[in-house]
Amino acid sequence: MRLFISINFDDKVVNELINIQEELRRCGVRGNFTKPENLHLTLAFIGEYGNPDDVLDVIEEAAFCPMDLHFEGLEHFRDMYFARIADSPALNSYVRRLRRALSDAGIPFDKKKFRPHITLVRKVSFADGQLSDVPKEFAIDISAGKASLMSSVRGKNGMIYTEL
């Protein structure tokens, strides 16, 4: 089972992210736009792991405290567009605790440096072959209430994420 731990968003935040995706489209950005139901903030990517109950125990042990987060703009990196999240000591502290608990439990996870972002578009290209007037700045404030364990399965129309 392919697993990851994330913060999922309510409909209001998802709709605001969809509006940003629509603005990217209007500016001539083409690519694989993340489906609304798949917009999330990954805290730890575990990958193939057979016992989700062990991971749920770790999430409970790491004790997520609700926090406010702030999206502060767009970032274009390689062939992707991301929604950037402003520096959050509370988020960084939680991710450190979570990853330490995963490590202590012997649960493997991707140990890349945590860079909080929401992927909006993959495999980016531009309608006229060059970057248009893509807006770089926007602001969305959100309240994150919990961390969720998610499974990821490849469906015929892309990835399907399910909260466990």
Side-chain angles (χ1 to χ4, degrees), residues 44-156:
F45 179 77
I46 296 164
E48 292 297 326
Y49 191 74
N51 194 344
D53 289 336
D54 291 348
V55 182
L56 288 167
D57 290 343
V58 167
I59 293 172
E60 188 175 314
E61 177 187 325
F64 186 91
C65 295
M67 64 185 76
D68 293 328
L69 300 173
H70 178 72
F71 294 106
E72 64 177 0
L74 286 176
E75 184 173 335
H76 180 216
F77 180 72
R78 295 189 181 153
D79 69 342
M80 293 181 264
Y81 264 109
F82 301 101
R84 264 192 330 270
I85 296 179
D87 185 49
S88 167
L91 179 61
N92 292 333
S93 176
Y94 175 71
V95 169
R96 279 192 304 276
R97 283 195 324 273
L98 175 65
R99 290 177 173 202
R100 190 175 317 114
L102 287 167
S103 187
D104 290 350
I107 298 170
F109 62 96
D110 185 344
K111 293 182 172 63
K112 286 184 198 142
K113 181 180 178 186
F114 179 62
R115 299 185 71 201
H117 66 278
I118 290 70
T119 303
L120 299 173
V121 192
R122 289 181 171 84
K123 297 184 180 176
V124 168
S125 64
F126 303 97
D128 60 4
Q130 59 183 331
L131 183 61
S132 193
D133 293 325
V134 173
K136 297 276 194 276
E137 302 303 322
F138 65 88
I140 303 172
D141 292 312
I142 68 165
S143 294
K146 68 177 184 169
S148 298
L149 178 60
M150 305 296 290
S151 72
S152 172
V153 176
R154 185 170 302 281
K156 70 177 188 172

